[in-house]
Amino acid sequence: MTTKTLAVILFTRAEAEWLAPAACELARGLDAHLIGVVPVLPFFVHDAAGFDPVVIPTIAKWQTEETDAIRALFEEAVRRADVRGEFRAQERVAAPTEEFALAATRAADVIVMAPKGDGGSSEPTDRLRAPIIRLSGRPVLIMPRDAALTAAPSRLLIGWSDTREATRAAHDALTLAAPGARIDLLAVRSGRAEVHAMDARQDFAAALDRLGYSAELIDRDGPAGEISRTLMEVATERDAELVVTGAFGHSAVYDFVIGAVTSDLLDAPKRPVLLSK
């Protein structure tokens, strides 16, 4: 299967200024249909005693203006790139923000999002990125501003481990990979012996070979808390256009103590990252 439907989530006007054109270029490179999705984030009252209800219409007006501006940016980007596109904005009180974002993107082959903190995003928008990755059931492409993916990648680096999430990510990556792409399968060892009855990575490499890809196995040693850094270092060495890995494969306690690879990759990655849960 190839990618023919993309959904790009646009949280803010500042983000849409660069992410909408970048998503359109990718859609053009893949000959894909593009859905622009704008969730409307609720506003919270931290001090109810000092809150003046008069400001509610002002906030609602600002939200409407922000959505209209994002729509204009998206539609202009679609026109310039000459791609097929449609725009979906959340009605302010129609549904919870997370529910809207998930429903609007589940039909996409791949969801496109910006990294955390990029393009004027805020803490509320950054908190919404994790549930989209965890709950959408779709692979999520994190697109850096300065390293956008514009076509099917011909050089991929897959962070491999014997987990459901990593396996899902590896297979999801094939919907984006160019025919005959070079795909490196990287295993990062944390120092302890890892013994398996079967080497699933070798099996997957053989499967890639049958599909016409060029697969290579790469091993690196490194602490568990520095896997994301190792991924990016090897991606630079191998000139990978896309880094692929499973998302949120550990418990919240493990992530807190050891460090969450997914969260690290959401923070200003140097290259596009495909995450699957």
Side-chain angles (χ1 to χ4, degrees), residues 58-104:
T58 302
I59 296 173
K61 180 175 182 291
W62 175 83
Q63 288 178 328
T64 299
E65 291 173 348
E66 182 83 351
T67 298
D68 289 345
I70 294 172
R71 178 193 292 271
L73 289 166
F74 175 81
E75 291 178 348
E76 175 63 12
V78 166
R79 185 190 68 78
R80 285 179 176 273
D82 191 24
V83 296
R84 303 177 300 278
E86 61 181 285
F87 186 80
R88 299 179 184 178
Q90 181 181 8
E91 294 294 334
R92 196 162 59 89
V93 293
T97 301
E98 182 180 309
E99 182 179 318
F100 167 79
L102 293 173

Side-chain angles (χ1 to χ4, degrees), residues 109-176:
D109 297 317
V110 176
I111 299 170
V112 180
M113 286 197 303
K116 290 167 59 177
D118 203 344
S121 66
S122 60
E123 183 181 348
T125 63
D126 288 343
R127 281 201 305 266
L128 187 57
R129 297 177 201 274
I132 290 171
I133 296 169
R134 287 182 182 274
L135 302 175
S136 66
R138 310 308 306 134
V140 177
L141 175 64
I142 305 302
M143 187 93 85
R145 183 200 297 255
D146 299 324
L149 190 66
T150 59
S154 59
R155 300 181 301 278
L156 295 83
L157 175 69
I158 296 178
W160 181 269
S161 63
D162 281 312
T163 63
R164 181 185 66 81
E165 291 82 8
T167 302
R168 172 71 181 273
H171 285 275
D172 283 344
L174 302 186
T175 69
L176 280 173

Side-chain angles (χ1 to χ4, degrees), residues 156-158 160 182-189 201 215-220 234-235 237-238:
L156 295 83
L157 175 69
I158 296 178
W160 181 269
R182 188 197 74 201
I183 300 179
D184 297 324
L185 303 176
L186 170 67
V188 181
R189 311 297 184 186
R201 189 169 55 137
E216 184 169 339
L217 307 185
I218 298 176
D219 294 282
R220 289 288 190 277
V234 176
E237 291 173 13
R238 301 291 292 173

